[in-house]
């Protein structure tokens, strides 16, 4: 996403979750919820050289061991809470205060002909770049970056302001997150709809009471200005950047603000920055519906691997309907209500490998076992076995609602719920009612710029034709807005493309290393 009570409005999933799935598939053991290891040390002021310290414990706690031939170092830098106008600390809320930004760099012991740092952001908003840098450092066998990249670049991750280790936003109780995820994705009765309004009001009120007029300071433009401090902290004159999902919006904003500071930029899983809340939500409803149709076709053609064949849509719809009247109780006491089933579906559409897991989970739920439904939903939700959440969704709401100018009324949202149900029956209603989160969010707004990146070098914008979360149609629109974008297409499934196939990997690697821009219109086959 937005995620949490905003449902999946701009469902910008952190790549760390995908990398974790790849690690599991490769045989590594991860905890159900990776613990946060704090990046310790005195934070350097903006413009000052930070003190880097060894921090192998971050990788060890996330994955169980450090990657072979990789050294990990951590640092902190300070940034103004309010950059104000023109890139200098301004007046108003937070003008003379600072946030601390946590950094991690992974450097290969086999590094040669070093080019510089590759700064990464996994999206969300709310995803940890520190965690992602660790996951990406493990190499292709674990879904990470190829040696051609780690041999030439330090991999640098940072937690954006408000996220994880960087002055985190924390204002949503676990109980409210449970209520949000478990809520009916299509609350049809007025009473049920009003109950969801009340839940969003309670969440917004709690965050407003805690952060007040500081809430707009978590927006994307402020975070993009922080990135220039990160660039200076790693000692690079120009930024080399890899951003996934929401990270494409963050990178695009940076390119508009600091076009002369860009060396190379890969934006994978593009967001169209000019889409407002309503248009973006409908676009995503269409994207998820299309991805689900692809899943149902795969299921019908692979009955031996899909236990809910031949009509997977009917099986999934039936599972949600049954959950409304007689939800199955899991071992932890939770009931597999429609919301939990819905998020298991959402979680599974992020990778083609998740399709078989979804089919198995729905089949097992029909037999009275919700274990896999909860496992899939919890993996998406960053919910651990004790029912605790990370601050991913607190930050997600704070960023998305600070960014968003559009604020549709409850009555208009109710109309969209009905209209989109007819067009996108499984995902439309949830995307519509998800807009309530920012409608009920307190505080001012701080929209990001939506213009050209004149003066920047060519920027590589990567899109996946079957992407549910950032639909492919947005790829060309981001490239066109920037004015220097070059589109690279993967004709595949799931969210984001690099480095999943040799065609995509070779094109992106050549661009990052040699600044070779792929030919216009290059399309890479699914396999």
């Amino acid at each position: 996403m937005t995620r949490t009570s905003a449902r999946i409005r701009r469902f910008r999933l952190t790549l760390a979750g995908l990398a974790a799935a790849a690690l599991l598939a490769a045989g590594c053991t991860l905890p159900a919820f990776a613990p946060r290891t704090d990046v310790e040390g005195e934070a350097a002021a903006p413009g000052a050289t930070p003190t880097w310290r060894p921090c192998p414990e971050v990788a060890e706690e996330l994955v169980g061991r450090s990657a072979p031939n990789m050294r990990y170092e951590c640092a902190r830098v300070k940034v103004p809470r309010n950059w104000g106008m023109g890139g200098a600390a301004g007046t108003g809320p937070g003008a003379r205060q600072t946030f601390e930004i946590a950094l991690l760099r992974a450097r290969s012991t086999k590094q040669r002909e070093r080019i510089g740092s590759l700064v990464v952001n996994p999206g969300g908003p709310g995803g940890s770049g520190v965690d992602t840098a660790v996951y990406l450092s493990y190499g292709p066998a674990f879904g990470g970056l190829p040696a051609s990249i780690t041999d030439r670049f330090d991999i640098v991750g940072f937690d954006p302001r408000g996220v994880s280790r960087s002055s985190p936003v924390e204002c949503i109780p676990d109980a409210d997150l449970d209520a949000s995820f478990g809520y009916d994705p299509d609350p049809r009765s007025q009473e049920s709809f009003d109950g969801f309004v009340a839940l969003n009001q309670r969440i917004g009120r709690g965050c407003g009471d805690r952060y007040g007029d500081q809430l707009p300071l978590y927006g994307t433009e402020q975070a993009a200005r922080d990135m220039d401090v990160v660039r200076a902290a790693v000692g690079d004159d120009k930024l080399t950047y890899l951003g996934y999902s929401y990270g494409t919006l963050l990178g695009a904003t940076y390119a508009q603000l600091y076009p002369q500071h860009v060396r190379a930029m890969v934006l994978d899983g593009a967001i169209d920055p000019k889409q407002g809340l309503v248009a973006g939500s409908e676009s995503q409803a269409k994207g998820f519906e299309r991805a689900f149709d692809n899943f149902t076709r795969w299921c019908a053609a692979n009955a031996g691997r899909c236990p809910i064949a031949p009509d997977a849509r009917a099986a999934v719809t039936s599972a949600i309907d049954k959950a409304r009247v007689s939800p199955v109780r899991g071992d932890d006491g939770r009931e597999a209500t429609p919301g939990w089933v819905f998020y298991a579906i959402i979680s599974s559409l992020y990778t083609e490998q998740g399709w078989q897991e979804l089919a198995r989970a729905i089949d097992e739920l029909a037999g009275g076992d919700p274990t896999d439904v909860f496992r899939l939903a919890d993996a998406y939700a960053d919910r651990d076995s004790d029912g605790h959440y990370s601050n991913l969704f607190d930050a997600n709401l704070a960023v998305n609602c600070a960014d968003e100018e559009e604020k549709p009324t409850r009555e208009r949202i109710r109309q969209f719920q009905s209209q989109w149900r007819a067009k996108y029956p499984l995902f439309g209603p949830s995307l519509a009612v998800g807009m309530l989160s920012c409608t009920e969010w307190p505080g001012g707004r701080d929209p990001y710029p939506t213009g050209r990146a004149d003066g920047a070098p060519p920027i590589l914008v990567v899109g996946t034709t079957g992407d549910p979360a950032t639909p492919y149609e947005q790829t060309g629109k981001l490239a066109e807005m920037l004015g220097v974008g070059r589109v690279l297409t993967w004709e595949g499934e799931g969210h984001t493309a690099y480095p999943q196939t040799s065609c995509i990997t070779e094109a992106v690697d050549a661009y990052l290393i040699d600044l070779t821009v792929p030919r216009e219109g290059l399309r890479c086959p699914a396999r």
Side-chain angles (χ1 to χ4, degrees):
M1 285 229 272
T2 349
R3 295 152 54 162
T4 179
S5 55
R7 299 290 173 167
I8 48 176
R9 175 175 68 82
R10 283 190 180 163
F11 196 41
R12 311 164 188 171
L13 183 68
T14 169
L15 182 78
L18 303 184
L23 286 166
L24 286 170
C28 287
T29 301
L30 284 176
F33 171 66
R36 185 187 82 182
T37 300
D38 287 326
V39 175
E40 298 176 353
E42 184 69 22
T49 302
T51 299
W52 294 87
R53 67 165 188 86
C55 56
E57 68 277 3
V58 177
E60 290 166 2
E61 290 200 32
L62 284 172
V63 185
R65 61 180 176 84
S66 295
N69 305 311
M70 195 66 63
R71 295 194 301 268
Y72 299 95
E73 296 178 300
C74 294
R76 286 183 175 275
V77 294
K78 291 182 180 180
V79 297
R81 288 196 179 193
N82 188 355
W83 282 97
M85 298 300 294
T91 60
R96 291 177 296 278
Q97 298 173 304
T98 59
F99 287 129
E100 290 192 0
I101 305 300
L103 313 175
L104 176 142
R105 69 181 177 197
R107 177 175 291 174
S108 172
T109 59
K110 297 181 178 181
Q111 196 175 92
R112 57 182 175 79
E113 300 178 6
R114 180 180 179 275
I115 295 171
S117 297
L118 175 63
V119 177
V120 300
N121 180 274
S128 167
V130 168
D131 292 0
T132 302
V134 171
Y135 292 132
L136 292 178
S137 73
Y138 274 72
F142 304 102
L145 296 172
S148 55
I149 296 299
T150 56
D151 283 353
R152 304 295 299 277
F153 294 93
D154 297 341
I155 310 305
V156 175
F158 71 101
D159 289 349
R161 57 173 58 201
V163 174
S164 192
R165 307 162 181 85
S166 295
S167 303
V169 176
E170 295 174 319
C171 57
I172 307 178
D174 290 338
D176 283 347
L177 285 168
D178 269 351
S180 179
F181 280 110
Y183 213 91
D184 194 325
D186 185 9
R188 297 199 180 197
S189 73
Q190 192 61 45
E191 180 182 9
S192 182
F193 181 83
D194 290 344
F196 195 57
V197 170
L199 174 58
N200 279 276
Q201 288 177 326
R202 184 167 71 244
I203 290 171
R205 187 165 53 248
C207 293
D209 288 347
R210 182 157 190 177
Y211 292 100
D213 60 4
Q214 299 283 303
L215 284 175
L217 302 182
Y218 294 101
T220 294
E221 182 173 348
Q222 297 276 357
R225 294 190 184 278
D226 296 343
M227 282 175 58
D228 208 47
V229 176
V230 173
R231 176 198 58 77
V234 299
D236 287 354
D237 292 333
K238 293 191 175 185
L239 177 72
T240 304
Y241 176 78
L242 170 62
Y244 293 95
S245 200
Y246 164 77
T248 68
L249 177 61
L250 192 60
T253 303
Y254 180 92
Q256 293 171 74
L257 297 173
Y258 305 102
Q260 304 293 340
H261 290 185
V262 176
R263 174 189 172 271
M265 184 171 283
V266 177
L267 307 179
D268 186 357
I271 289 172
D272 175 9
K274 291 188 175 182
Q275 277 192 150
L277 174 59
V278 173
S281 297
E282 183 172 10
S283 172
Q284 199 170 46
K286 181 179 180 180
F288 271 97
E289 204 75 41
R290 179 170 55 203
F292 186 77
D293 284 341
N294 293 343
F295 157 70
T296 61
R297 283 191 286 271
W298 167 86
C299 205
N302 293 272
R305 299 167 60 196
C306 181
I308 58 174
D311 193 344
R313 181 175 284 273
V316 168
T317 301
S318 175
I320 293 175
D321 288 342
K322 288 179 181 178
R324 287 190 171 101
V325 294
S326 56
V328 180
R329 189 177 298 276
D331 292 340
D332 64 357
R334 274 185 297 169
E335 292 185 334
T337 56
W340 291 115
V341 178
F342 180 78
Y343 279 104
I345 299 164
I346 289 292
S347 179
S348 303
L349 294 179
Y350 269 80
T351 63
E352 190 172 358
Q353 292 78 11
W355 292 357
Q356 191 169 6
E357 294 184 66
L358 172 60
R360 183 173 61 248
I362 295 299
D363 182 58
E364 291 173 352
L365 181 65
D369 182 4
T371 302
D372 277 350
V373 162
F374 282 128
R375 180 180 59 81
L376 290 170
D378 287 353
Y380 165 71
D382 265 3
R383 184 186 192 276
D384 69 15
S385 58
D386 294 324
H388 299 312
Y389 292 81
S390 71
N391 90 311
L392 175 60
F393 304 101
D394 311 59
N396 186 273
L397 265 180
V399 175
N400 279 335
C401 295
D403 285 349
E404 192 57 68
E405 282 188 292
E406 197 171 7
K407 196 174 180 179
T409 64
R410 298 170 199 164
E411 293 74 23
R412 192 74 181 118
I413 288 171
R414 190 71 160 142
Q415 292 172 352
F416 287 129
Q417 181 187 4
S418 177
Q419 293 167 6
W420 294 356
R421 184 187 301 120
K423 291 196 281 187
Y424 324 106
L426 190 56
F427 302 96
S430 181
L431 266 298
V433 299
M435 293 187 286
L436 285 167
S437 62
C438 285
T439 290
E440 305 299 338
W441 189 254
R445 301 295 194 260
D446 184 22
Y448 46 78
T450 54
R452 294 173 61 88
D454 291 331
I459 291 173
L460 189 56
V461 184
V462 185
T464 301
T465 56
D467 193 325
T470 51
Y472 177 71
E473 293 81 358
Q474 300 188 43
T475 308
K477 292 179 180 179
L478 175 59
E480 181 181 5
M481 186 200 81
L482 291 172
V484 293
R486 176 66 62 87
V487 171
L488 172 63
T489 299
W490 182 37
E491 295 174 336
E493 299 294 336
H495 184 40
T496 74
Y498 176 71
Q500 297 197 48
T501 68
S502 59
C503 175
I504 290 290
T505 300
E506 289 167 6
V508 173
D509 287 0
Y511 170 76
L512 288 174
I513 296 169
D514 299 319
L515 303 181
T516 302
V517 182
R519 63 174 172 79
E520 189 72 41
L522 178 60
R523 300 178 71 90
C524 291
R527 290 288 181 267

